[in-house]
Amino acid sequence: MTNELNKGAILILSGPSGCGKSSLLKKFYENFTNYYFSISTTTREPRTGEIHGTDYFFASKEEFEIDIQNDNFLEYAKVHNNYYGTSLKPITKALNEGKLVIFDIDVQGHELVRAKLDAITTSVFITTPTLSELENRLNKRDLDAKEIIQNRLKNAKIEIDSIDKYDYLILNDNLDEAARQFISVANVALIKTKLFNKARIIENWMKN
Ligand code: ADP
Ligand code: 5GP
């Protein structure tokens, strides 16, 4: 079937910091192979345990602004007072290889990618069942300072207003159940009709 596909597909995952996106992706990787996770570039400080080139490419504000000037980003946005951006080159390569390209990006990035690559994009918004549970998880994760957590909660209250712009919504209460839902979305993201080469499908269908 792959030769009837025009290219790969994009799956955008957004949701407030602390809702469980990384935990969910970990479970997803155990169940899915034909994917490429887009490693973003950011100007925020690495958290304890984060690895350059695995979690993010950590860059200075000056380096990031040079990349903006050179048109190296498919999209970028300022989130929680730091730059975050998706580099174009590796994405193009993975799409040409027919992969499902996963983006963990914010609501602004989602709108920018939709505007450019709507036909091949599927999106899912992930959140906790309640705001207080989000606060619990951010505190429990214990990776950010108090004022950073407050800033993330403030941002979450704004982000939640965008849920209706997404194709799917996952309320991450039970992690295993949420992971199953996310895997279902990943599977359907790869069979969107717009991903297929209609002429080739019909030609094959007629002659067999
Ligand atoms: P994100 O990547 O969205 O910032 P994380 O995956 O780091 O969020 O999760 C934040 C915290 O919440 C972590 O401590 C994680 O273990 C915990 N967590 C994730 N999903 C659940 C869940 N369904 N129930 C309880 N705790 C969860
Ligand atoms: P964190 O600092 O918790 O890793 O991420 C903060 C926010 O930035 C999250 O909402 C995450 O989805 C978003 N983000 C991460 N990478 C990108 C990116 O490349 N582009 C955009 N627009 N947002 C990103």
Side-chain angles (χ1 to χ4, degrees):
M1 204 67 171
T2 39
N3 62 342
E4 284 151 6
L5 271 173
N6 272 338
K7 51 198 156 200
I10 290 173
L11 177 55
I12 298 180
L13 162 74
S14 301
S17 186
C19 72
K21 299 184 296 294
S22 313
S23 311
L24 215 96
L25 283 172
K26 243 183 237 158
K27 293 207 169 263
F28 169 76
Y29 299 149
E30 292 163 10
N31 289 278
F32 218 88
T33 46
N34 188 32
Y35 72 87
Y36 170 78
F37 178 72
S38 165
I39 303 165
S40 298
T41 301
T42 184
T43 58
R44 86 147 158 75
E45 288 296 312
R47 293 190 190 116
T48 313
E50 279 186 330
I51 300 166
H52 178 81
T54 300
D55 299 289
Y56 280 105
F57 293 107
F58 296 98
S60 66
K61 187 167 171 275
E62 292 70 28
E63 287 166 334
F64 199 99
E65 284 171 347
I66 290 170
D67 273 350
I68 296 174
Q69 277 159 24
N70 291 337
D71 262 344
N72 286 343
F73 292 118
L74 168 63
E75 64 75 35
Y76 70 91
K78 240 184 187 172
V79 190
H80 315 132
N81 299 322
N82 281 302
Y83 280 125
Y84 290 82
T86 306
S87 296
L88 191 54
K89 250 197 215 155
I91 303 309
T92 311
K93 181 170 176 283
L95 285 173
N96 285 335
E97 289 167 359
K99 291 191 173 146
L100 181 67
V101 181
I102 316 267
F103 291 174
D104 174 349
I105 58 177
D106 84 321
V107 296
Q108 306 168 74
H110 170 249
E111 289 205 20
L112 293 166
V113 176
R114 279 259 174 229
K116 288 186 179 168
L117 297 166
D118 186 53
I120 64 165
T121 299
T122 299
S123 63
V124 53
F125 193 93
I126 299 173
T127 186
T128 46
T130 61
L131 177 63
S132 55
E133 175 60 13
L134 183 65
E135 189 166 5
N136 286 344
R137 288 192 198 167
L138 283 168
N139 285 324
K140 212 179 76 188
R141 185 167 70 180
D142 202 24
L143 285 177
D144 300 303
K146 284 274 168 288
E147 60 275 22
I148 291 183
I149 290 182
Q150 285 314 311
N151 191 23
R152 282 165 192 263
L153 288 170
K154 201 171 109 198
N155 208 42
K157 290 185 208 163
I158 299 166
E159 286 175 314
I160 194 82
D161 197 48
S162 294
I163 53 175
D164 54 348
K165 295 188 178 137
Y166 286 73
D167 297 316
Y168 301 99
L169 173 67
I170 297 178
L171 296 175
N172 174 21
D173 187 2
N174 175 290
L175 184 61
D176 286 329
E177 175 56 17
R180 271 194 293 279
Q181 291 178 339
F182 186 70
I183 291 160
S184 301
V185 174
N187 279 310
V188 296
L190 281 167
I191 54 168
K192 280 185 84 159
T193 45
K194 283 180 184 159
L195 295 172
F196 292 87
N197 183 321
K198 180 175 148 186
R200 241 184 291 162
I201 295 276
I202 295 179
E203 189 193 321
N204 249 341
W205 187 80
M206 290 286 193
K207 72 178 181 212
N208 287 304

